[in-house]
Each structure stands twice: as C-alpha cells, then as structure tokens.
Amino acid sequence: FPIEGIHTCINQICEHGRFVQYLAPIASVIVCGESSIAENQYEVVRQISMRNQTTRVLIYATSVESVEFSRMIKLMRGLAHTKDVKAEDLPSDLRYFVELLKVLTDCTAGDMNITTVEAKVQSLYNCENILSIILHPSTILFVKSRMLWFFYHAFIDVEMKVKSLVGTHNIWLLLESFE
C-alpha cells in the first residue's frame, strides 16, 4: 500500500475533492504506534507539494484578509458557542482542513525528522498566516488547537530553525496570549 496507496489517495483528492476519507489511509501509514515511517512521510509531502496538486489538496492556505479565510470564519461561526467540539461536528471543508493539518503534523513529527520534509511542509502553509488564523478571535478552540499542534511540529520542533520566526510579530502575540 504505502507509496502506491499514498499516490492513489492524493489523486482521489485532486480528482474528486477534499474529503476526509481520502486522508484517513494516508494518516494510517505515516505513523505506526510511536514510530514514524520516514519513507512514507517523505512521499506524502512530496505528493502534496507537486506543483499541479498543491492547490487541489491544500485548503485555507491563505491570509486572514482573503475571501477563503472569510469562508472559513463563516464555517466556524455555527460552532462558536458549542462546547467540546469534535472533528465530526465540523463542516466538511473545515474537518478536511484540520485532518490535513494532522497528516502534515505527523509528517514532521518523529525522532528522525527529515529536513527536506520539514522545509516542504513549511512552504505549504505560511507561518505568518498560520499564526494570524490562530490569533483571530473568531477561530474556534478546536481549530486553534490543531493549528497550534501543526505550528509547533512544523516550525518550532524542527531540525533547522526558522530564523525569521523570532522577528515575526505574531509569534510574540501568541506567546503573550498564554499569560
């Protein structure tokens, strides 16, 4: 399954749309128990970052000023006052987004991090945009937590430090928000 299956699932997303059921098999071959499977992590990120596939696989890889972000906020509004939101409670696009972030997080996690994988994942979702969405007052807690987990593994707990991160205004706002 792994390499062929990863390719098939990414193609299904590109051809049929962004649905969680195409991410589930990918998620199952990236990490096994406590062990990361580096070859599969690399292949997932390689497939997603292919030029003709990136825009069809990614969702909400945008700034908070964009129309796409406005759609994301509208999807979260219906859950703003809901306690204990679970992935199943989310609208389809939003659920796909948080599950995709989990897949990408799992690709960067592990003891044998591959700097190529980390760099490619960092290029998929802009650090400043991720921080802006986390800090946005309309972002619900469930989405914030998944985005923080992704941010930590993709930008903080990495082999090659992201030097521009220290100069990013939003990183300081995020740190201050924990006081």
Side-chain angles (χ1 to χ4, degrees), residues 21 35 40 50 82 101 106 111 118 120 123 125 150 152:
Q21 63 262 32
S35 300
N40 294 348
M50 292 176 84
T82 305
L101 285 181
D106 287 347
D111 294 335
E118 292 172 348
K120 283 184 182 258
S123 74
Y125 282 101
F150 169 77
Y152 174 76

Side-chain angles (χ1 to χ4, degrees), residues 107-143:
C107 285
T108 62
D111 294 335
M112 294 180 57
N113 287 340
I114 306 168
T115 55
T116 306
V117 169
E118 292 172 348
K120 283 184 182 258
V121 169
Q122 291 167 1
S123 74
L124 295 173
Y125 282 101
N126 175 285
C127 168
E128 192 66 36
N129 292 343
I130 290 290
L131 288 170
S132 294
I133 295 170
I134 291 168
L135 292 168
H136 196 279
S138 296
T139 303
I140 62 173
L141 184 60
F142 183 82
V143 173

Side-chain angles (χ1 to χ4, degrees), residues 7 41-50 53 120:
H7 177 73
Q41 290 172 316
Y42 177 79
E43 185 61 23
V44 167
V45 174
R46 188 183 78 73
Q47 287 286 325
I48 291 172
S49 62
M50 292 176 84
Q53 297 184 155
K120 283 184 182 258

Side-chain angles (χ1 to χ4, degrees), residues 23-103:
L23 293 174
I26 294 172
S28 71
V29 298
I30 297 171
V31 178
C32 183
E34 295 292 316
S35 300
S36 300
I37 305 166
E39 179 182 321
N40 294 348
Q41 290 172 316
Y42 177 79
E43 185 61 23
V44 167
V45 174
R46 188 183 78 73
Q47 287 286 325
I48 291 172
S49 62
M50 292 176 84
R51 188 179 332 158
N52 61 336
Q53 297 184 155
T54 303
T55 57
R56 293 189 284 172
V57 175
L58 296 185
I59 190 169
Y60 306 129
T62 186
S63 74
V64 292
E65 291 86 28
S66 71
V67 172
E68 189 177 23
F69 179 72
S70 296
R71 281 194 302 266
M72 182 182 182
I73 291 299
K74 284 179 187 172
L75 292 175
M76 289 189 284
R77 267 195 204 124
L79 298 165
H81 301 292
T82 305
K83 281 188 164 187
D84 302 321
V85 174
K86 296 173 186 63
E88 306 82 58
D89 301 331
L90 300 174
S92 181
D93 280 354
L94 202 52
R95 183 172 180 195
Y96 174 86
F97 173 66
V98 296
E99 294 302 324
L100 177 62
L101 285 181
K102 184 176 182 328
V103 165

